[in-house]
Amino acid sequence: MKRFGYSTILLCHLTLSLLIIKSEVIAASRKDKIIVAGRAVLQNEGSFQAAIIYKQNLTCSGSLLKSHVVLTSASCVRNFDLSKVKVRSGSNAFKKGGQLRSVQQIVMHPLYQSGEHSHNIALLKLNRTFNLTSPNIDMVQLPTPKQSELPSSLFIYGWGISSLNVNGSLSKYLRVSKYKVYSNTKCLRYLPENDKHNNQPPFCVGDRSKHFDICNDDSGGPAVDQNKTQYGVVSHGGKCFPEDIIILTNIIPHLPWIRDVLQSWNEQHNFVYK
């Protein structure tokens, strides 16, 4: 009787140990699916990415459009004190490396309204140009008149892509994820009413087969194709969407506005933006 009791206890301990190990493996698997979003960028990949730093903290992302012009979201920069804004480019780490510049001027789209996505776009003019001879710094391309349709998928770069971890901290190094471009019908379900009736509506991307999303501090980041042509600016930042939908401001209808701002800066300062 005593021997049977000992064997029973031993069997219970073994069973319990196996259950614990199995639960830890399952938890780790689920954790990886939540935390790991996309992949770390390769060397010199995403070299157009800009980290917009306000009061020494990463606030959002942007893209290098010209040697000293950054494209980002208006929601990111609407209340900025220019004296406290910096832009870092040429580094996979938003805290160090690359080149750092101050911001001289911010121009937001005149039709931008808080909480909407159709015109959530802004341009930052830096106090001096980035050195484009560095292999770590490059520029995005704008769509041409022939590229009036969105591609079927886009790549989004950022430091907040993997921020669904336990403590909510940002990824230390730049990451990239590929997303499907959703139909207008599907996207309409997630838009505010004013965006639904706008003649320059935003668009949505996502992928339900993957367990990741754009999260905090990726607002303003670029959505590009494989040729570095930028089609969208991440508008929906902050907390992750449970529906795995990312809302982006469509660059294509805003190309005339972008060119007008660049031309205005060119005329004011007699500088040719290359």
Side-chain angles (χ1 to χ4, degrees), residues 75-254:
S75 58
C76 166
V77 298
R78 57 182 173 175
N79 296 317
F80 274 7
D81 176 351
L82 279 178
S83 64
K84 299 177 182 178
V85 189
K86 302 285 185 182
V87 174
R88 187 186 304 279
S89 190
S91 174
N92 290 343
F94 62 84
K95 290 184 177 181
K96 61 182 180 180
Q99 302 173 33
L100 195 64
R101 299 290 184 265
S102 299
V103 176
Q104 185 181 109
Q105 187 178 354
I106 296 173
V107 177
M108 299 190 300
H109 195 285
L111 297 180
Y112 166 70
Q113 295 185 43
S114 178
E116 297 178 7
H117 308 285
S118 296
H119 306 287
N120 191 9
I121 190 170
L123 292 172
L124 279 58
K125 182 172 69 172
L126 309 179
N127 66 332
R128 58 193 178 98
T129 62
F130 280 111
N131 181 7
L132 298 180
T133 61
S134 169
N136 299 324
I137 298 184
D138 199 2
M139 299 180 296
V140 293
Q141 303 295 320
L142 292 176
T144 66
K146 294 182 180 180
Q147 296 169 305
S148 58
E149 299 294 329
L150 295 172
S152 60
S153 62
L154 290 167
F155 297 90
I156 297 179
Y157 295 76
W159 290 276
I161 289 177
S162 61
S163 62
L164 272 177
N165 53 27
V166 176
N167 58 13
S169 61
L170 297 172
S171 171
K172 291 182 180 179
Y173 300 100
L174 189 65
R175 302 183 70 85
V176 59
S177 294
K178 185 178 181 180
Y179 295 89
K180 297 177 182 177
V181 176
Y182 286 154
S183 66
N184 291 335
T185 302
K186 185 171 184 177
C187 188
L188 282 174
R189 288 181 277 171
Y190 304 98
L191 298 181
E193 284 302 316
N194 287 348
D195 281 323
K196 292 180 180 180
H197 305 292
N198 198 293
N199 60 357
Q200 298 176 338
F203 67 96
C204 300
V205 301
D207 194 338
R208 286 189 174 275
S209 66
K210 300 175 182 177
H211 297 263
F212 54 77
D213 193 7
I214 292 297
C215 302
N216 48 316
D217 298 287
D218 278 318
S219 177
V224 303
D225 66 8
Q226 68 274 15
N227 298 316
K228 301 181 183 179
T229 300
Q230 183 172 350
Y231 287 88
V233 175
V234 176
S235 179
H236 176 81
K239 296 180 179 179
C240 289
F241 243 178
E243 296 86 357
D244 296 331
I245 292 290
I246 303 158
I247 302 175
L248 302 103
T249 301
N250 192 343
I251 283 181
I252 295 173
H254 295 98

Side-chain angles (χ1 to χ4, degrees), residues 19-63:
L19 287 173
I20 291 173
I21 292 172
K22 184 177 180 181
S23 64
E24 287 178 347
V25 170
I26 293 172
S29 175
R30 289 175 179 173
K31 183 179 179 182
D32 287 343
K33 287 182 180 179
I34 293 174
I35 293 175
V36 179
R39 59 170 175 79
V41 298
L42 305 175
Q43 185 176 6
N44 299 333
E45 184 184 14
S47 52
F48 45 75
Q49 187 82 8
I52 300 176
I53 302 163
Y54 188 59
K55 296 181 179 179
Q56 300 182 342
N57 294 309
L58 177 68
T59 303
C60 52
S61 295
S63 57

